[in-house]
């Protein structure tokens, strides 16, 4: 390096930097390597960057801006190149120049086929797509399952017993229910096919709904049936009523309907002892004189694990299993706001065992 003039040179130590040579020896002065000047490519370098395009005998060759038409290729095995039509603001149209190239011809054929297909499709729709027998697209989804014309099957409802019936596809089953005394009734409908979705409604002589249910849900399926089966409680006076059963999706559905009079009654502030049958439930009704917060206290007397369900006059359903699971207190307790009127109280045993309980309902 003794023949080199003083200045910055690449560091001989191999670092990514320059080091100052004072003419005799390396110093401790450093500077980063000077960045390379970036290469710029664009229209001005197009010819150098793509030399093969400049020699291609093709009418669609790329040319640098400002190239005059006289320098465009004038001959090709594909025929003469199409020349620009009119000024810069003139609307472009397909001309013989376009059709004279394979790409242009393909575009014309494609557009022609598209127009033909569109015309044929519209014609088919006009002939077939508006058939009067087609369902109204605004009428909602069609029903599933076998259809039987939407007729109504009729029958009589057995009180404190079981009634069999058949809902016709798209129709209803209507049963006559005759009540001889004022009380609350449990109506438990179960489809013969557990995949069907029954709906249940109880109506007075004028057709007004007095109560009903669609799905009993997971909690009440512990009382039997599946979650899609309806379970309803209605308080009725002596008279004649209609029980209407339908299938949510309009399918044919055989079913079993159990109607049970709830005869056991609870008194406010009075503890009542009750027996819960094995695999079953205890049902009772307590009359709440006014809306407010009430407490339903269930205490097991045989070391089992009871569960509590309630339905108030507004049809609101509540459930409680353990009042304090962490403290091993498995007796249920509900302290809730209930509507005035009959409150249905149901007690089961969590594992389906028979047990005995004490029930106390207190109010405001």
């Amino acid at each position: 390096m003794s023949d080199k003039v003083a200045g910055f040179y690449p560091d001989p130590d191999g670092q990514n930097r320059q080091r100052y040579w004072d003419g005799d020896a390396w110093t401790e002065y450093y500077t980063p390597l000077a960045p390379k000047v970036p290469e710029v490519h664009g229209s001005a370098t197009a010819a150098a960057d793509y030399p093969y395009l400049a020699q291609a005998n093709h009418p669609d060759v790329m040319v640098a801006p400002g190239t005059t038409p006289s320098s465009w290729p004038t001959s090709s095995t594909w025929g003469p190149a199409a020349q620009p039509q009119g000024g810069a603001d003139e609307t472009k149209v397909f001309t013989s120049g376009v059709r004279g190239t394979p790409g242009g011809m393909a575009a014309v054929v494609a557009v022609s086929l598209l127009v033909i297909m569109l015309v044929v499709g519209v014609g088919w729709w006009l002939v077939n797509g508006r058939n009067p027998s087609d369902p109204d697209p605004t009428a909602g989804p069609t029903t599933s399952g076998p259809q039987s014309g939407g007729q109504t099957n009729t029958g009589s409802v057995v009180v404190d017993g079981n009634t069999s019936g058949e809902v016709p596809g798209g129709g209803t089953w209507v049963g006559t229910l005759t009540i001889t005394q004022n009380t609350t009734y449990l109506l438990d409908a179960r489809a013969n096919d557990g995949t069907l979705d029954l709906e249940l409604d109880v109506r007075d002589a004028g057709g007004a709904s007095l109560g009903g249910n669609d799905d009993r849900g997971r909690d009440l399926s512990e009382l039997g049936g599946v979650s899609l089966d309806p379970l309803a409680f209605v308080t009725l006076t002596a008279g004649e009523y209609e029980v209407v059963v339908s299938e949510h999706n309009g399918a044919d559905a055989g079913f079993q309907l159990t109607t049970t009079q709830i005869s056991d009654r609870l008194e406010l502030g009075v503890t009542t002892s009750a027996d819960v049958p094995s695999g079953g439930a205890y049902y009772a009704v307590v009359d709440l004189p006014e809306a407010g917060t009430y407490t339903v206290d269930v205490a097991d007397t045989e070391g089992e694990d009871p569960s509590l369900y309630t339905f108030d006059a507004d049809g609101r359903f509540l459930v409680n299993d353990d009042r304090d699971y962490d403290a091993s207190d498995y007796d249920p307790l509900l302290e809730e706001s209930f509507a005035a009127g009959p409150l249905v109280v149901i007690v089961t045993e969590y594992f389906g065992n028979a047990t005995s309980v004490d029930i106390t309902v207190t109010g405001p």
Side-chain angles (χ1 to χ4, degrees):
M1 288 290 294
S2 60
D3 59 341
K4 293 290 184 180
V5 298
F8 281 98
Y9 297 94
D11 189 347
D13 291 340
Q15 302 294 331
N16 187 24
R17 61 190 179 185
Q18 292 181 317
R19 190 171 180 179
Y20 192 78
W21 172 261
D22 63 5
D24 295 315
W26 292 107
T27 68
E28 297 304 316
Y29 296 100
Y30 302 94
T31 184
L33 284 174
K36 294 183 179 180
V37 178
E39 297 182 3
V40 179
H41 294 272
S43 59
T45 63
D49 292 340
Y50 309 102
Y52 59 90
L53 291 179
Q55 301 174 4
N57 190 17
H58 193 286
D60 296 327
V61 65
M62 293 176 59
V63 296
T67 305
T68 61
S70 60
S71 62
W72 292 7
T74 58
S75 63
S76 169
T77 56
W78 291 359
Q83 301 300 316
Q85 302 295 316
D89 297 331
E90 183 176 342
T91 302
K92 303 298 186 297
V93 297
F94 288 112
T95 67
S96 59
V98 175
R99 291 193 298 271
T101 65
M105 189 62 187
V108 173
V109 172
V111 172
S112 300
L113 288 176
L114 180 61
V115 172
I116 293 172
M117 292 174 63
L118 180 61
V119 171
V120 172
V122 171
W124 181 91
W125 179 80
L126 290 173
V127 174
N128 300 290
R130 300 183 63 179
N131 192 321
S133 63
D134 288 348
D136 182 355
T138 64
T142 58
T143 57
S144 60
Q147 302 299 307
S148 303
Q151 73 267 23
T152 298
N153 290 345
T154 59
S156 297
V157 179
V158 179
V159 179
D160 288 325
N162 186 66
T163 304
S164 298
E166 182 76 26
V167 177
T172 58
W173 182 90
V174 179
T176 302
L177 173 63
T178 302
I179 301 300
T180 58
Q181 57 181 314
N182 305 343
T183 191
T184 300
Y185 292 84
L186 162 65
L187 286 84
D188 184 345
R190 304 182 188 183
N192 297 339
D193 182 342
T195 65
L196 299 179
D197 187 2
L198 296 181
E199 296 177 328
L200 177 68
D201 191 25
V202 180
R203 303 172 183 174
D204 63 15
S209 177
L210 303 176
N213 183 259
D214 179 9
D215 305 323
R216 68 184 62 194
R218 181 185 62 82
D219 289 319
L220 287 179
S221 65
E222 297 176 3
L223 303 178
V226 299
S227 60
L228 294 177
D229 289 332
L231 181 73
F233 297 88
V234 288
T235 300
L236 304 174
T237 58
E240 192 171 277
Y241 301 87
E242 287 185 342
V243 177
V244 181
V245 182
S246 59
E247 205 284 326
H248 181 75
N249 297 303
D252 288 323
F255 67 90
Q256 305 296 316
L257 172 65
T258 302
T259 305
T260 306
Q261 174 182 305
I262 303 178
S263 56
D264 287 353
R265 305 195 71 82
L266 305 174
E267 300 294 333
L268 282 176
V270 178
T271 299
T272 301
S273 296
D275 294 325
V276 179
S278 176
Y282 170 80
Y283 299 89
V285 177
V286 56
D287 290 320
L288 305 183
E290 60 180 333
T293 300
Y294 293 83
T295 301
V296 183
D297 187 347
V298 177
D300 186 88
T301 60
E302 297 188 9
E304 300 293 348
D305 184 6
S307 298
L308 171 64
Y309 308 84
T310 62
F311 280 87
D312 67 7
D314 285 345
R316 195 166 62 111
F317 164 64
L318 297 173
V319 60
N320 181 263
D321 181 14
D322 307 316
R323 71 180 67 191
D324 191 350
Y325 179 83
D326 293 334
S328 299
D329 188 348
Y330 302 138
D331 289 338
L333 177 71
L334 269 176
E335 186 176 7
E336 295 288 343
S337 177
F338 294 109
L343 176 71
V344 177
V345 176
I346 308 169
V347 181
T348 65
E349 205 283 324
Y350 185 81
F351 299 100
N353 300 324
T355 190
S356 295
V357 296
D358 290 334
I359 306 173
T360 307
V361 182
T362 56

